[in-house]
Amino acid sequence: MRTTVGIIGAGPAGLLLARLLHNAGIDAVVLESRDRSYVEQRQRAGILEQGTADVLCAAGAGERLDREGLRHDGIELRFDRRRHRVDFPALTGGRSVTVYAQTEVCKDLIALQLLDGGPLLFEAEALAVEDAGTDTPRIRFRHEGREDVLECEYVVGCDGFWGVARKAVPAALARVFERTYPFGWLGILADVPPSHDELVYARHDRGFALLSMRSPAVSRLYLQVPDGTDAGTWSDEEIWDELERRFETDDDWRLERGPITQKSVTPMRSYVHEPMRHGRLFLAGDAAHIVPPTGAKGLNLAVGDVVTFARALTHERGTGSPELLDAYSATCLRRVWQAERFSYDMTTLLHRAPGATPFEDRLQLARLERIVSSRAAETDLAEAYTGFPFG
């Protein structure tokens, strides 16, 4: 097989890149190791920045997003039993975010790709990226029981942290920056309408809690738990009781309970791999960087990466200049590090570290007080949450 761009991974980044390239008249092949059902049911992110929603709509994937996505104009910060709303449009010149699950983004993009896009091969396991440092990179993969080779002009690795793409970058050229956190998130899906119409980020002495949603009828909630926690050790009643304690306020707000349909624990880490390019191999999304989910940045960073690549390749095709492709890593990393900074700030602002001292507790509260009492500090949070510019 031969193509211009070989894309490893049919998550939202790989699928969106295929759509952007298709719209620009550039052929691509997408290889995905899992089956279609798995990709369309894989629970991940649910918050789309303003820029991400705009890109999806411009790419032709906005019909259901416009109809079913839940526009949110703010979030609520909750601490010391008090509530404070951060008004995004008022602080950012009109920007907002949209609640629309990654599963739905993937469904929309898969449907478009199968309708009129290039080849999308499910259950096609990428085994290695070869000759990445040359002008003729190749992806060796296994599909339908036999090995094959996809010859490319460019390879984009959207295959996540455990994928093969990053392994093709010589170790001598790579630098890794990472931090692991001594806690994770116990997340649940529950068949109950959300107890608030916007996301609630709660700082509590017992640990962080987040109230989110997937639809007007399905709630998504999280509890900070120790690293290594087994979700099965928590009963449904214990989860609801703990959520109630951490969301408690001095007014009459109440948390609505309902049947829990899914439980899982997400570990927390920050990770950046530099560079994000080696020769004709380009890394995107979790293949190059991971953020703790507190800042809702993971999916949105991946979108920024593939938008940057698509623009750069289109520029090269139109002008003959490789300038933007050569700048890919540096361009993406400027945005990546700002998102890492914001996600780290939100994580350390709202989570109580094991063994935290009273001094550290008071510092957290002082940081929150600064946000709710200073328009400048509140604006910084709102601008980062609704999204850093692409490129």
Side-chain angles (χ1 to χ4, degrees), residues 87-105:
D87 186 331
F88 292 155
L91 296 164
T92 65
R95 297 214 308 270
S96 63
V97 298
T98 301
V99 175
Y100 192 66
Q102 175 175 313
T103 51
E104 306 313 305
V105 173

Side-chain angles (χ1 to χ4, degrees), residues 1 73 75 85 89 95 97 127 143 149 168 205 233 235 241 252 260 303 306 313 321 324-325:
M1 295 180 66
D73 287 336
I75 58 172
R85 182 174 184 268
R95 297 214 308 270
V97 298
L127 303 174
H143 185 235
V149 171
D205 287 342
T233 63
S235 71
D241 288 347
D252 60 358
I260 294 176
V303 167
V306 298
L313 184 56
S321 170
L324 297 185
L325 285 171

Side-chain angles (χ1 to χ4, degrees), residues 54-76:
D54 292 346
V55 165
L56 287 167
C57 290
E63 181 182 351
R64 248 182 6 113
L65 171 60
D66 282 342
R67 185 173 68 250
E68 300 177 16
L70 306 175
R71 174 179 165 135
H72 281 199
D73 287 336
I75 58 172
E76 182 174 290

Side-chain angles (χ1 to χ4, degrees), residues 237-249:
E237 185 176 5
E238 288 172 329
I239 291 172
W240 287 118
D241 288 347
E242 189 62 26
L243 285 166
E244 278 193 350
R245 281 190 285 265
R246 297 190 193 183
F247 285 125
E248 61 190 0
T249 64

Side-chain angles (χ1 to χ4, degrees), residues 10-11 15 31-43 64 102-115 120-124 143:
L15 292 166
L31 305 176
E32 167 56 47
S33 62
R34 304 283 193 160
D35 62 28
R36 179 178 179 178
S37 176
Y38 179 90
V39 174
E40 293 186 335
Q41 295 176 26
R42 180 169 44 193
Q43 291 291 335
R64 248 182 6 113
Q102 175 175 313
T103 51
E104 306 313 305
V105 173
C106 288
K107 289 174 186 175
D108 296 341
L109 290 170
I110 287 171
L112 285 172
Q113 188 72 8
L114 295 178
L115 176 66
L120 167 54
L121 305 183
F122 290 104
E123 299 180 87
H143 185 235

Side-chain angles (χ1 to χ4, degrees), residues 128-206:
V129 177
E130 300 173 340
D131 299 328
T134 74
D135 291 342
T136 55
R138 341 174 332 138
I139 305 170
R140 188 159 47 83
F141 67 99
R142 183 184 296 112
H143 185 235
E144 296 181 341
R146 64 183 181 87
E147 285 196 19
D148 204 343
V149 171
L150 178 62
E151 297 179 351
C152 317
E153 294 181 36
Y154 304 92
V155 174
V156 182
C158 305
D159 52 343
F161 182 78
W162 301 107
V164 301
R166 192 176 66 251
K167 297 174 184 177
V169 180
L173 301 180
R175 297 185 68 194
V176 170
F177 306 86
E178 61 184 325
R179 178 188 179 95
T180 57
Y181 299 86
F183 42 75
W185 279 8
L186 170 60
I188 64 167
L189 280 174
D191 287 338
V192 60
S195 299
H196 193 60
D197 56 1
E198 293 177 335
L199 273 68
V200 177
Y201 287 78
R203 186 270 176 202
H204 193 276
D205 287 342
R206 296 177 64 90

Side-chain angles (χ1 to χ4, degrees), residues 181-185 225-231 233 265-268:
Y181 299 86
F183 42 75
W185 279 8
V225 293
D227 185 39
T229 293
D230 178 358
T233 63
V265 173
T266 301
M268 306 281 279

